[in-house]
Amino acid sequence: ERVSMLERDGEIEAAARLSNALYDWGDRRSPLLARVFELNHLVGNPQRADKALRDYLAGTPDNPRTLRKAAEFFELEQDLEGTLTALVSLVRVAPSPPAVEKLARLYRLHGRFTDEEQL
């Protein structure tokens, strides 16, 4: 609740510090993991955002919204395997033409023709 209040008041860095502290103390509830990811992404801490996102995905692997965000984040971080994993999962749980097209383009771009044909 305090993290949300800090965010609402525009105290993004303070919210990130508090959410990080809770995370470091072992809090792995999905809503907190989502906040740790979002806040660290906003304040420019991609390593912590990445770890929180991976923890979040481990607990909620079939959430289409999270998988879309994960694919976008991993692509920004130039993490090809993370991007592909998120897109494969997204296509599996919520297939859509844009997701399938993106996955096919990445397969082709990186010479993964067998994966592209299977898709």
Side-chain angles (χ1 to χ4, degrees):
E1 184 177 322
R2 179 79 177 130
V3 171
S4 295
M5 290 170 55
L6 288 167
E7 277 186 273
R8 181 198 64 214
D9 295 341
E11 300 288 335
I12 302 303
E13 289 182 8
R17 283 191 303 273
L18 178 57
S19 67
N20 288 340
L22 293 168
Y23 180 75
D24 291 343
W25 292 330
D27 190 337
R28 296 296 187 271
R29 291 173 293 164
S30 291
L32 179 69
L33 291 172
R35 298 311 325 133
V36 171
F37 163 69
E38 291 282 344
L39 291 166
N40 282 283
H41 186 53
L42 284 173
V43 300
N45 187 348
Q47 294 83 10
R48 185 165 290 257
D50 183 280
K51 177 144 179 38
L53 178 58
R54 290 177 192 275
D55 286 347
Y56 186 84
L57 288 171
T60 55
D62 293 339
N63 183 318
R65 181 175 176 264
T66 303
L67 291 168
R68 274 190 290 282
K69 283 186 161 202
E72 291 170 9
F73 175 77
F74 292 135
E75 185 174 21
L76 283 173
E77 292 300 311
Q78 298 179 358
D79 178 347
L80 177 62
E81 289 308 313
T83 305
L84 290 174
T85 299
L87 284 172
V88 166
S89 296
L90 178 59
V91 167
R92 180 179 45 79
V93 299
S96 68
V100 171
E101 288 171 20
K102 176 125 186 146
L103 183 56
R105 274 195 312 264
L106 284 173
Y107 280 153
R108 179 164 294 180
L109 180 65
H110 295 282
R112 296 172 78 157
F113 304 117
T114 303
D115 292 328
E116 181 187 9
E117 288 175 8
Q118 289 175 347
L119 177 66

